[in-house]
Amino acid sequence: MQEPPPFKAPVISLNRLSKSYGKTQVLFDINLDFYPGQVIGYIGPNGAGKSTTVRILAGLDGEFSGEATICGIDVRKDPLGVKQMIGYVPEMAELYDVLTPREFLTMIGRLHNLSDAVTLERSLRMLRFFGLETNADDRMDTFSKGMRQKVLLISGLLHNPQVLFLDEPLSGLDANSVIMVKEIISRLAAQGKTVFYCSHMMDVVEKVSDRIILIDKGRVVADGTFNELKQQEGESLEQVFSKLTGKQDLDQMAGDFMESFRSDEQ
């Protein structure tokens, strides 16, 4: 496990975090601390508990056992206080289609107690960065998935949060935008921000993360830098992922899948 930086208190702290939906337990006694300036790649198979963890930390689900704090704020006791400290970009989110980006971001700014003048300046600058300045007053029901994702990213960054949760943030983005978002992540970490990054894109996680947490069936099965995990488990993050989640026979599985077409060849 990666050693914590010296003389720094954790920004995010999880102590015996557990979560159940009815009789189905999805998180089991998660104990993790994350520190300023870390980019955490939080990965795992579908249903492993990644999004559940993020929803708890974002103050969107208070029904859990154990403890979770962000910047010293108890997530269960003060979810609104937590929301002021974080930015959250979910994989799937509903935008207000009848609003324009300018209107939507103005609303987000007011929710975070930003003045309209500050919100306008920041939002236009960020829209320009993503090539959306000329669309600032277009209704978002005309936007592509990539354009909508860019607006979501801006809304998560607008108030300059101390902690940023990104759940598949690159979904629908073009190649240049992906490069720009990766650079933004690096610069946020350099400023001491903590970035919690959930994704199935192993190559991106490998490049942007300085600490990787692999969760499987609600339990942490690996925690370290990419180089540490590579030395222990495999040559690439994909190999580490496959080995630790019990999917080492992927070649055989792919072969079995292709057997489905044999009837067409006979």
Side-chain angles (χ1 to χ4, degrees), residues 25 77 94 108 115 117 148 170 193 203 206-207 209 217 239:
Q25 189 165 352
K77 294 179 179 178
E94 293 294 330
I108 296 297
S115 70
R148 296 163 69 89
L170 306 182
K193 311 290 188 182
D203 56 334
E206 186 176 312
K207 291 174 182 176
S209 306
K217 298 176 182 176
Q239 290 176 332

Side-chain angles (χ1 to χ4, degrees), residues 2 14 33 48 61 69 147 151 164 180 187 219:
Q2 188 184 53
L14 306 179
D33 289 324
D61 187 346
T69 62
M147 294 168 71
V151 176
L164 182 63
M180 291 191 296
R187 297 200 177 203
R219 292 182 170 88

